[in-house]
Amino acid sequence: MTVETRARRGELDALRVFVVLGLVFFHSALVFSPDDDYYVKNADTTEAITVLAGLGVVWAMPMLFLVAGLGSRHSIRRRGASRFTRERLLRLGVPLVVGTVVLCPLPQWLRLRAAHSGYHESYLHFWSRFLTVHLDLGDFPFVLDGEYFETGHLWFVVLLLVFSLFLAPVAGPLAAWGERAGERVARRPALLLLPALPVAAINALLGTEEGFAGWNRWAYLLFFLFGYVHADDDRVRAALRRIAVPVGWTGVLLFAGSAPGFLTLDDPFTEWNAVALVTRAVFGAAGWCWVVAILGLLDRPRAVRRSPSRVLVYLGIAALPVYVLHQPVVVALAYGVVGWSAPLVVKYAAIVAGSLAVIFAVYEYGVRRTRPTRILFGMRAAPPDTSPTPSDVMPPSGREPPHTRDDHAG
């Protein structure tokens, strides 16, 4: 059985939800990190955040791109390349524009207020300056630039949309190549480690980007394409299971080997010296190993296939809206909390708990229940009284009948 007839993979649905919710914890932690130029910073910071954050960035966003690539495989098979392109422009392009115009100005405004006690510019006036942009192709695919303009956390949506548009014209040949490659991988599972080389090279030679979770933007393309080509091929899945444990330990050792460079170099992301180059290359190879190991370790045969729980279905439906909403909410709450006279752990817990409460309240009562807001946040345009079903889970990670499936893209 190959990717074309594979049942839905609940472990990848759960993993995607875990990563998206984990971003609330991750961005809340950056408030207390001494090494990150986050929008709002606490007066007291701790180096422990750097190490803990590294444990997440080494695999989380690469895995999110891989699962999105897997979803693209099923979407293109069902819709065809042209309809897939239109669907991605709607499901990703619309929330990207809405999030950039409506939500992204807030963290930038709060950054100015936090950094300068005398800054009293109104939000409305700043908003107009935020949207003052010009075309700049030098930072492709981020083609708009301005003094204050940014896509912020929506960089993921920008890249995913661009990768999807890149994929559509070559989807057929890539799928055919993946079928042939699956046969070779079945005989030699170690071939699954070969992509670690270009991933490492991209990170080392092009530089990693702190604003993109410590990876080079084009390294993510390789994870996306791997997901599209054969991450759900049964032959590849069997190979992943066979090598998961040794590759996992290899990833741990490589990650440990990259730590000294990230902790001691002034700018490990872009410096052009031997230590920095090796650090970035080793980190990239570690990330590939972590993703390969996680895919194999989570993919275990189950005696009884159970339907996803209602909670998982609900969270799966909410994934893209939660992603779009989360960072402005975290920054807004952090802006108030950092002024408290309280221990660091109390402030962190308050930011996380408060952010989750606000995000899901906004999602439940401001996004999910009406057709226009669902469309604006990349959801299926279901009637307001439609209860959550697996048809809204995004992105799909396996094949199901058309009436129970849909393809959200994040």
Side-chain angles (χ1 to χ4, degrees):
M1 184 181 298
T2 67
V3 66
E4 310 301 350
T5 58
R6 194 68 202 154
R8 188 174 197 93
R9 295 181 61 181
E11 78 277 8
L12 295 187
D13 287 331
L15 188 61
R16 183 184 58 254
V17 168
F18 177 80
V19 171
V20 171
L21 292 182
L23 290 172
V24 175
F25 293 81
F26 174 74
H27 285 130
S28 298
L30 295 184
V31 175
F32 308 96
S33 171
D35 302 315
D36 188 271
D37 182 27
Y38 201 57
Y39 300 95
V40 176
K41 303 293 288 188
N42 192 58
D44 297 323
T45 59
T46 172
E47 292 284 355
I49 297 297
T50 303
V51 177
L52 294 176
L55 294 173
V57 300
V58 71
W59 68 272
M61 296 308 293
M63 183 66 78
L64 213 55
F65 278 103
L66 186 146
V67 175
L70 176 58
S72 298
R73 175 67 175 266
H74 298 293
S75 181
I76 288 177
R77 180 178 184 271
R78 187 168 63 256
R79 292 184 171 94
S82 60
R83 286 184 59 202
F84 167 80
T85 300
R86 292 195 297 270
E87 183 265 348
R88 285 302 187 256
L89 287 170
L90 176 65
R91 294 294 182 87
L92 292 174
V94 172
L96 173 60
V97 172
V98 171
T100 301
V101 172
V102 176
L103 299 173
C104 288
L106 179 61
Q108 284 286 63
W109 181 63
L110 292 175
R111 183 202 295 273
L112 292 174
R113 291 181 64 87
H116 308 287
S117 58
Y119 178 81
H120 299 298
E121 182 181 23
S122 71
Y123 182 70
L124 184 61
H125 188 266
F126 173 79
W127 182 75
S128 65
R129 292 205 293 150
F130 178 89
L131 295 179
T132 301
V133 298
H134 60 272
L135 191 64
D136 180 9
L137 300 180
D139 196 31
F140 184 84
F142 302 89
V143 296
L144 295 179
D145 193 18
E147 183 179 4
Y148 297 105
F149 179 83
E150 65 168 11
T151 55
H153 65 296
L154 299 181
W155 63 264
F156 169 75
V157 184
V158 174
L159 292 182
L160 186 54
L161 177 57
V162 170
F163 294 168
S164 299
L165 298 179
F166 283 170
L167 172 65
V170 297
L174 273 179
W177 178 83
E179 288 295 316
R180 296 191 299 271
E183 297 177 3
R184 295 191 291 271
V185 168
R187 295 192 299 269
R188 298 176 181 174
L191 291 174
L192 290 170
L193 295 181
L194 285 181
L197 298 177
V199 168
I202 290 172
N203 268 4
L205 301 178
L206 299 183
T208 52
E209 302 174 89
E210 189 173 5
F212 300 150
W215 285 83
N216 185 277
R217 68 191 72 181
W218 301 113
Y220 288 127
L221 178 59
L222 299 183
F223 290 95
F224 176 79
L225 292 177
F226 181 85
Y228 175 80
V229 169
H230 52 212
D232 208 35
D233 185 317
D234 268 4
R235 298 164 299 183
V236 176
R237 291 175 63 179
L240 287 167
R241 291 193 294 269
R242 287 169 59 188
I243 66 174
V245 173
V247 170
W249 282 112
T250 301
V252 170
L253 293 175
L254 289 171
F255 177 74
S258 71
F262 280 110
L263 292 173
T264 60
L265 292 171
D266 290 334
D267 187 5
F269 298 101
T270 60
E271 284 184 30
W272 195 259
N273 57 61
V275 175
L277 289 171
V278 171
T279 295
R280 295 196 295 267
V282 170
F283 179 82
W288 184 266
C289 290
W290 279 52
V291 168
V292 165
I294 290 170
L295 285 173
L297 291 172
L298 292 182
D299 187 18
R300 291 290 182 258
R302 294 166 177 80
V304 179
R305 293 268 179 191
R306 295 183 176 87
S307 298
S309 69
R310 291 182 61 84
V311 172
L312 180 58
V313 170
Y314 179 87
L315 293 175
I317 296 169
L320 181 55
V322 167
Y323 183 89
V324 172
L325 290 168
H326 84 277
Q327 181 153 278
V329 173
V330 169
V331 173
L333 285 173
Y335 178 77
V337 169
V338 294
W340 293 2
S341 296
L344 185 150
V345 67
V346 172
K347 293 181 180 180
Y348 176 70
I351 295 171
V352 170
S355 296
L356 289 172
V358 171
I359 289 166
F360 279 99
V362 173
Y363 166 71
E364 178 64 27
Y365 299 105
V367 175
R368 188 177 77 85
R369 301 193 178 201
T370 69
R371 178 187 176 92
T373 52
R374 290 175 68 89
I375 294 174
L376 291 177
F377 281 84
M379 299 180 68
R380 199 175 188 186
D385 60 349
T386 300
S387 59
T389 68
S391 64
D392 282 307
V393 177
M394 71 126 226
S397 53
R399 184 181 179 219
E400 294 194 7
H403 68 283
T404 64
R405 285 287 312 280
D406 196 33
D407 293 273
H408 289 220

